[in-house]
Amino acid sequence: MLRSSRYIVALMVVAIVAAVAPIGSSDASAGIASLYRTGDWRSEKHVPVIDCPVEFKAGEPTTVTVTIGKETEHPNTAAHHIRWIRLYFIPADSTLPYEVASFEFSAHGESVLGTDTSTLYTDPKVSIDVRTGVPGVFYAAAYCNIHGLWESAKAITIAE
Amino acid sequence: MLRSSRYIVALMVVAIVAAVAPIGSSDASAGIASLYRTGDWRSEKHVPVIDCPVEFKAGEPTTVTVTIGKETEHPNTAAHHIRWIRLYFIPADSTLPYEVASFEFSAHGESVLGTDTSTLYTDPKVSIDVRTGVPGVFYAAAYCNIHGLWESAKAITIAE
Amino acid sequence: MLRSSRYIVALMVVAIVAAVAPIGSSDASAGIASLYRTGDWRSEKHVPVIDCPVEFKAGEPTTVTVTIGKETEHPNTAAHHIRWIRLYFIPADSTLPYEVASFEFSAHGESVLGTDTSTLYTDPKVSIDVRTGVPGVFYAAAYCNIHGLWESAKAITIAE
Amino acid sequence: MLRSSRYIVALMVVAIVAAVAPIGSSDASAGIASLYRTGDWRSEKHVPVIDCPVEFKAGEPTTVTVTIGKETEHPNTAAHHIRWIRLYFIPADSTLPYEVASFEFSAHGESVLGTDTSTLYTDPKVSIDVRTGVPGVFYAAAYCNIHGLWESAKAITIAE
C-alpha cells in the first residue's frame, strides 16, 4: 500500500520533471541523475536489455546478459560505438548499491590503415555469472561515445 | 528567467522526492539516479572533490584533480576502500554527457599473507589534463565497495 | 621452414630463460613480460581458458568465453579473488595487438557488515561476441588480487 | 655476482630473440610478453614515462606520474589515441606483481557532429598517490588504439 502510493508519487514526479526540465540538462544542481536516459529498447537502440531469470536460486551462479541494440543494431565504428556496459545491483530494502561488473568494448575497426579497416569489432553484448542470496534490482548502464549515458533496470527474486 | 523557474520547480521536485522516497531505494522505476548520493565533502568523506580552475583556456591542457576523503581520509583496506573515480563532462546547453576518464584504484594492502599485509596502497586521488573549448559541468562519480555511489559537480567557463 | 626454425630457437630461448631467471623476477630490465605466468588450466586454477570456435566466419559475431577456474573453482572473497579478465587479438602476420575487451569483476561479498556478508558475487567468467575478418591469436590475461597476472592464448582461422 | 651473470645471460637471450623473432609476432607460443614494445621515450612517443622519486618514505603517499608523449605529443583523435595507462608494482625479491591502478582516457574529440568536433580531449597523462613500505619496480603499460601495447619500468627504494 505504502509502496504503491510511493510509485504513484514517483510517477507524478517523473511527469513534472519531464514537463519542466529537458533530460540531460547541464545544471550542476541536477547531478549525475540528469545524465542518464532510458526508453523502450524496441524503439531506442541505446537502451540496455537485461536478460536473466526473474528468480535466482540463492548462491547459485546465474547467467545475466546485457545487450545494446537487441532489436536494432547499434553502429560500431571509431566515430560511433558503445564504449562500455556496467552492471549494478541494489538489494531490496537497502540503500547501498553494488557494482557487479564493468565491461569495456575496445575494438571498433580502427587500424594503422585508418578507421574501419581492421575487420575487428567487439559487439556491445556481454554475459556473466552472478550469485546472490537476496532479491533486488539489477541496473545496467551503457555509454555511447557520442550519445551519452543510458540505463535500464530489472528486478529479481530468490526462489523459496 | 525560464532558467530560474526551472531551478525552482527542480527544487520542489527534489523536496517531494525527499519526502516520499528514501534516497537509494531499490525501486526499479527510480533508475540509476536514485543510486547516487552526495553531500558536503567536509563532513561526508565519500563525496568527491573536483579541483580545477573555474576558467579554462580554450584547447589548453588544464589539470583536473579529483579527491575522495580530502578533509577526512577514507579507509583503504581490502574490506573497505574506494574502488574507482570517474569523470564526466556535459557542455553547457547540451544534453549529451561525455565520459572524460575512468580510474581504477587497485591496490588495497592484500597479499598472499592476508589482508593488509602488502604495504602497497593506491590512494583515491587522481590528476589528469583535460582540454575543452566550451564551458560546461564536470561530474565526478566515485564508488566505495561497501557504501556505494557518490557524486559531485563543478561548472567551468572558457576564458574570453 | 623459417617458421619452424623460429619456433625451435624460441624454445631454446625459453629453456635458457627458465634455467637462468625465475619467472616473475623483479628485474626492471625483464619488462612486463616477466610478470605473466601461464600453465595447464586443468591443474593451475588461475590460467584463463578461451572457449570459441577455431574457425570464425569473416565478419560474423562469434561468441568467445573466457573462464578462470574452469576445472577447479577460484576463491571469490574480498581477500582473494579474480579482479579482471582482458582479451587481446593479434592478426596473423601483424606485429600490432588490439585490445578486444576488458572486464572488471567487482562484487566479492563485502558489505557494511564485513567481508563475505553481502551474498553478492561476480564469477570470473565472461562471454562476448567478436567479429574478425582475419585469422590470428586471442590472448586472455587475468589478474588475481594476490597471485598476480596470468595468461593463455588460442589461435583461430577464418572459414574459406 | 649471480645477479650480474643473470643480467648477462638475459642480455644474450634478448639478443638472440631480437635476431630471430620479430617483436610482436603472433605466435601463440610467445605469450603476451611478445605483445609489449618499449624504447627510448625521447624518440618513441608511445613509451610511457614514469616520474616519481627514486626513494619512497615507507607508508607515505608519494606522487607517481605516468605520461605518454612526454617529448613528442601523441595524436589524440577518434582514429588514433592513447586509450589507457596501467601501473603495476612488483616488490623486490617477489614474483607476484600487483596492479596499482588502471586509467581509461575516454574523450577523443568525437561528437554527434562527427570525429574531432567536440573540443573535449583527455590527455594521456595521469598522477596518483601510492604508498609502499617495500622497494621494488613500477611497470607502466599503455595502449594505443592502432599501435598496440607499450611499457616501461622504474625501480624505487625505501628511505632508511
Side-chain angles (χ1 to χ4, degrees):
Chain A
M1 170 64 182
L2 189 144
R3 212 169 169 83
S4 323
S5 47
R6 226 170 61 182
Y7 270 125
I8 291 165
V9 178
L11 285 175
M12 285 167 54
V13 168
V14 167
I16 295 171
V17 172
V20 175
I23 291 172
S25 116
S26 64
D27 291 345
S29 63
I32 284 173
S34 68
L35 303 182
Y36 281 92
R37 293 187 292 175
T38 191
D40 183 343
W41 60 270
R42 288 173 201 81
S43 53
E44 171 47 69
K45 66 178 174 292
H46 286 98
V47 177
V49 179
I50 302 172
D51 286 308
C52 66
V54 291
E55 192 178 81
F56 279 49
K57 289 182 182 165
E60 287 196 15
T62 307
T63 301
V64 178
T65 298
V66 185
T67 310
I68 308 296
K70 191 177 179 184
E71 178 72 26
T72 309
E73 202 173 335
H74 187 279
N76 193 345
T77 65
H80 186 195
H81 57 262
I82 299 299
R83 187 73 59 81
W84 50 252
I85 290 174
R86 289 167 186 156
L87 189 66
Y88 298 91
F89 182 75
I90 182 160
D93 301 324
S94 169
T95 61
L96 297 170
Y98 296 106
E99 185 176 275
V100 176
S102 178
F103 310 107
E104 299 275 333
F105 304 103
S106 309
H108 307 294
E110 61 267 56
S111 87
V112 290
L113 301 178
T115 54
D116 307 308
T117 55
S118 75
T119 79
L120 185 72
Y121 297 90
T122 320
D123 282 359
K125 177 186 174 183
V126 65
S127 295
I128 54 167
D129 284 0
V130 180
R131 287 177 284 148
T132 177
V134 296
V137 179
F138 283 108
Y139 290 89
Y143 178 63
C144 168
N145 71 321
I146 62 174
H147 293 118
L149 297 162
W150 297 81
E151 67 165 311
S152 67
K154 179 169 183 170
I156 60 115
T157 59
I158 301 294
E160 296 299 314
Chain B
M1 171 63 185
L2 190 145
R3 214 170 167 83
S4 323
S5 47
R6 226 170 61 182
Y7 270 124
I8 292 166
V9 178
L11 284 174
M12 286 168 53
V13 168
V14 167
I16 295 171
V17 172
V20 174
I23 290 173
S25 113
S26 62
D27 290 345
S29 62
I32 284 173
S34 68
L35 302 182
Y36 281 92
R37 292 188 294 174
T38 192
D40 183 342
W41 60 269
R42 288 173 202 81
S43 53
E44 170 49 68
K45 65 178 176 291
H46 285 99
V47 178
V49 179
I50 302 172
D51 286 309
C52 66
V54 292
E55 192 178 82
F56 278 48
K57 287 183 183 166
E60 287 196 15
T62 306
T63 301
V64 179
T65 298
V66 185
T67 310
I68 307 296
K70 191 177 180 184
E71 179 72 26
T72 310
E73 202 172 335
H74 187 279
N76 193 345
T77 65
H80 186 194
H81 58 262
I82 299 299
R83 188 73 59 81
W84 51 252
I85 291 174
R86 288 167 187 155
L87 189 65
Y88 298 91
F89 182 75
I90 181 161
D93 302 325
S94 170
T95 60
L96 297 170
Y98 296 105
E99 184 175 274
V100 176
S102 178
F103 310 107
E104 300 274 334
F105 304 103
S106 310
H108 307 294
E110 59 266 56
S111 87
V112 289
L113 301 178
T115 54
D116 307 309
T117 54
S118 75
T119 80
L120 186 72
Y121 297 91
T122 321
D123 283 0
K125 177 187 174 183
V126 65
S127 295
I128 54 166
D129 284 359
V130 180
R131 288 178 282 149
T132 176
V134 297
V137 179
F138 283 108
Y139 291 88
Y143 178 65
C144 168
N145 71 321
I146 62 173
H147 294 118
L149 296 162
W150 298 81
E151 66 164 313
S152 67
K154 179 169 183 169
I156 60 117
T157 59
I158 301 294
E160 295 299 313
Chain C
M1 171 63 182
L2 190 145
R3 213 170 167 83
S4 322
S5 47
R6 226 170 61 183
Y7 270 124
I8 292 166
V9 178
L11 285 175
M12 285 168 54
V13 168
V14 167
I16 295 172
V17 172
V20 174
I23 290 173
S25 116
S26 64
D27 291 345
S29 62
I32 284 173
S34 67
L35 303 182
Y36 281 92
R37 291 188 294 175
T38 191
D40 183 342
W41 60 270
R42 288 173 200 82
S43 53
E44 170 48 68
K45 65 178 174 292
H46 285 98
V47 177
V49 178
I50 303 171
D51 286 309
C52 67
V54 291
E55 191 178 81
F56 279 49
K57 288 183 183 164
E60 288 195 14
T62 306
T63 301
V64 178
T65 298
V66 185
T67 311
I68 308 295
K70 191 177 179 184
E71 178 72 26
T72 310
E73 203 173 334
H74 187 278
N76 193 344
T77 66
H80 186 194
H81 58 262
I82 298 299
R83 188 72 60 81
W84 51 252
I85 291 174
R86 288 167 187 156
L87 188 66
Y88 298 91
F89 182 75
I90 182 162
D93 302 324
S94 170
T95 59
L96 297 170
Y98 296 105
E99 185 175 275
V100 176
S102 178
F103 310 106
E104 300 274 333
F105 304 102
S106 308
H108 307 294
E110 60 267 55
S111 89
V112 290
L113 301 178
T115 53
D116 307 309
T117 54
S118 74
T119 81
L120 185 71
Y121 297 90
T122 321
D123 283 358
K125 176 186 174 183
V126 65
S127 296
I128 53 166
D129 284 359
V130 181
R131 288 177 283 148
T132 177
V134 296
V137 178
F138 283 108
Y139 291 88
Y143 178 65
C144 168
N145 72 321
I146 62 173
H147 293 118
L149 297 162
W150 298 81
E151 66 166 312
S152 67
K154 179 169 183 170
I156 60 115
T157 59
I158 301 294
E160 296 298 316
Chain D
M1 170 65 182
L2 190 144
R3 213 170 167 82
S4 324
S5 47
R6 224 171 63 184
Y7 269 123
I8 292 166
V9 178
L11 285 175
M12 286 168 54
V13 168
V14 167
I16 295 171
V17 172
V20 174
I23 291 172
S25 115
S26 64
D27 291 346
S29 62
I32 283 172
S34 68
L35 302 183
Y36 281 92
R37 293 188 294 174
T38 191
D40 183 341
W41 60 270
R42 289 173 201 82
S43 53
E44 170 48 67
K45 66 177 174 292
H46 286 98
V47 178
V49 179
I50 302 171
D51 286 308
C52 67
V54 292
E55 192 177 81
F56 278 49
K57 288 182 183 166
E60 288 196 13
T62 307
T63 301
V64 179
T65 298
V66 185
T67 310
I68 307 295
K70 191 178 180 183
E71 177 73 26
T72 310
E73 203 173 334
H74 187 279
N76 193 344
T77 65
H80 186 194
H81 57 263
I82 299 298
R83 187 73 59 82
W84 50 253
I85 290 174
R86 289 167 186 155
L87 188 66
Y88 299 91
F89 182 75
I90 181 161
D93 302 325
S94 168
T95 60
L96 296 170
Y98 296 105
E99 185 176 275
V100 175
S102 178
F103 309 107
E104 300 274 333
F105 304 102
S106 309
H108 307 294
E110 60 266 56
S111 89
V112 290
L113 301 177
T115 54
D116 307 309
T117 54
S118 75
T119 81
L120 186 71
Y121 297 90
T122 321
D123 283 358
K125 177 186 174 183
V126 65
S127 295
I128 54 167
D129 284 0
V130 180
R131 288 178 282 147
T132 176
V134 296
V137 179
F138 283 108
Y139 291 89
Y143 178 63
C144 169
N145 72 320
I146 62 174
H147 293 118
L149 297 162
W150 298 81
E151 66 165 311
S152 67
K154 179 169 183 170
I156 59 115
T157 58
I158 301 295
E160 296 298 313

